[in-house]
Amino acid sequence: MRQLIISTLILLLAAIQLQAQAAADSPEQKLAEEWLKQLNALDDWYLSVDGKEEGVEQLVNSMMDLYAPDVLAEVPPHDKDQIGPVMIRGKENVRKWVERIAKTQVRLNYILKRQTEGPTGEYEGWRLIYSTKLPWGGTGIAFQIIGVWSLREDRRRFMAPGAVFIQYGPDGKIHRLRLLLAEIDEVKPL
Amino acid sequence: MNRQVVFIVIVIAAVFVFATAFAQQHRPYNQIMKDVGATFASLKKNLDANSATAAAQDAAKLEGLFAETEAFWAPFDTKDAISFAKRARDAAAAVGAAAKGNDIKAAQESYSVIQKNCANCHFSHREETGKGFLIKP
């Protein structure tokens, strides 16, 4: 009897594990992870000993490989005088936004929010990616994030809950991006 | 006559451009930091040994080295690094002044201010790779 219970439990755990693996390996999951990985990598560059910025161009290029030439992006305000989101049209303009992040922000740490079924499970469990097939072809994905970054000039650190909506075309490139960041708060040591 | 004036103006302008370009050249940052490390260690040794004259010389050298550090960061939008270098330079000047006045206790206090600024800057802008260090922007 005991053997039967143990065997059943092992089978059950294996099934859960397989299901988890399948969700983590889904193409939509990979798309979301890749976008966040490229965003977080934008501060992985250094100054040379003779004062040259090294590696920033490659990181920006790598991020821009994800976008289609006619991309339309709605991003949070990045100017002190700007109120509300900014609509950016075209890859070259999105590039300027990406470059601005790479050159003015450090310690980037955008993470996917996790969730379990229970009421308190917001920081553990699944990294949920909502996805849909677009009527005109391609895939749309959406996911919740927590964005954390520091300003390069004075190291002030900020944090904001947010959400990302991305539409990929049949070419696999991003045609629309919407990055929402709400309630941006400065993180201060206690 | 006019040709001579034009020639002199061109020569003066060339000298000015050359001098400006030369002034903007920095020593490699790793060399500056190695010199800071060695001078800082020497300063501590001299302060502990109550060698005020030698300590004042080290402090003066550190002042120059932190000015170089500040000049390295100046072209970038990295105000915290510039501030750390400035504060370290001011503290080095204070060490020098105290040492010249034979006030070793005050010099030791200012020494710890230098140490604090070095540590803060390294925390934000130095990344250890195991083989050496990288400069974080």
Side-chain angles (χ1 to χ4, degrees):
Chain A
M1 184 61 186
R2 189 182 287 173
Q3 276 183 330
L4 185 68
I5 292 170
I6 291 170
S7 306
T8 311
L9 279 174
I10 289 171
L11 275 173
L12 198 65
L13 280 172
I16 290 169
Q17 192 67 30
L18 278 173
Q19 209 178 6
Q21 194 63 38
D25 288 346
S26 73
E28 291 81 8
Q29 187 85 30
K30 284 180 181 166
L31 289 172
E33 303 270 5
E34 179 62 17
W35 188 82
L36 282 173
K37 189 179 136 195
Q38 296 280 359
L39 179 64
N40 285 327
L42 287 174
D43 65 349
D44 288 343
W45 57 277
Y46 300 93
L47 296 174
S48 69
V49 290
D50 52 352
K52 291 189 176 68
E53 297 178 338
E54 286 183 339
V56 65
E57 198 70 16
Q58 291 93 315
L59 294 167
V60 171
N61 288 342
S62 183
M63 176 64 150
M64 291 316 299
D65 281 347
L66 302 178
Y67 295 91
D70 64 345
V71 59
L72 184 64
E74 189 184 316
V75 298
H78 48 255
D79 191 305
K80 271 181 257 176
D81 301 324
Q82 173 78 34
I83 299 168
V86 184
M87 188 68 83
I88 305 172
R89 286 178 191 276
K91 197 171 177 176
E92 278 313 302
N93 289 322
V94 171
R95 185 185 179 87
K96 285 178 194 165
W97 171 68
V98 170
E99 267 175 349
R100 194 186 175 101
I101 293 173
K103 294 204 169 186
T104 61
Q105 295 181 11
V106 293
R107 295 175 65 207
L108 296 167
N109 190 22
Y110 286 80
I111 56 167
L112 267 168
K113 270 188 92 169
R114 290 171 177 264
Q115 191 192 323
T116 57
E117 197 182 1
T120 57
E122 289 250 306
Y123 302 97
E124 55 178 9
W126 304 107
R127 287 178 294 213
L128 294 178
I129 308 296
Y130 305 90
S131 67
T132 185
K133 292 289 165 208
L134 301 170
W136 47 85
T139 306
I141 61 170
F143 46 96
Q144 287 189 81
I145 57 162
I146 296 172
V148 189
W149 66 93
S150 298
L151 294 183
R152 180 182 166 190
E153 63 172 9
D154 54 16
R155 260 49 186 179
R156 281 192 300 142
R157 195 147 180 79
F158 295 89
M159 183 175 165
V164 182
F165 303 85
I166 306 178
Q167 292 181 5
Y168 290 87
D171 56 358
K173 300 287 183 187
I174 296 173
H175 287 253
R176 279 189 185 234
L177 163 74
R178 178 175 282 176
L179 169 62
L180 301 176
L181 290 175
E183 298 165 24
I184 299 175
D185 280 323
E186 188 176 347
V187 181
K188 287 181 178 170
L190 291 169
Chain B
M1 183 63 188
N2 277 346
R3 205 177 273 180
Q4 271 185 330
V5 171
V6 170
F7 180 73
I8 289 166
V9 168
I10 288 171
V11 168
I12 290 171
V15 167
F16 181 75
V17 166
F18 179 76
T20 308
F22 186 75
Q24 283 173 347
Q25 294 283 320
H26 306 297
R27 281 199 303 147
Y29 197 66
N30 52 345
Q31 279 181 22
I32 301 169
M33 285 297 115
K34 275 177 189 167
D35 286 353
V36 167
T39 313
F40 193 61
S42 170
L43 174 63
K44 177 69 180 157
K45 209 172 137 189
N46 287 321
L47 287 175
D48 288 346
N50 285 328
S51 306
T53 312
Q57 283 171 356
D58 287 335
K61 192 175 172 188
L62 277 176
E63 242 188 289
L65 289 167
F66 288 128
E68 279 190 84
T69 308
E70 199 182 320
F72 175 87
W73 287 104
F76 307 110
D77 293 329
T78 315
K79 289 174 192 160
D80 69 324
I82 296 168
S83 299
F84 290 136
K86 259 185 193 158
R87 285 199 285 263
R89 181 161 55 86
D90 291 348
V95 171
K100 276 177 191 163
N102 219 15
D103 187 351
I104 296 294
K105 196 183 165 203
Q108 288 275 21
E109 278 168 20
S110 295
Y111 168 89
S112 64
V113 176
I114 301 176
Q115 197 172 31
K116 205 177 282 177
N117 280 288
C118 288
N120 285 340
C121 197
H122 290 174
F123 179 75
S124 292
H125 297 288
R126 186 172 76 163
E127 192 173 301
E128 193 166 357
T129 60
K131 292 176 188 168
F133 298 104
L134 293 170
I135 311 165
K136 291 290 289 174

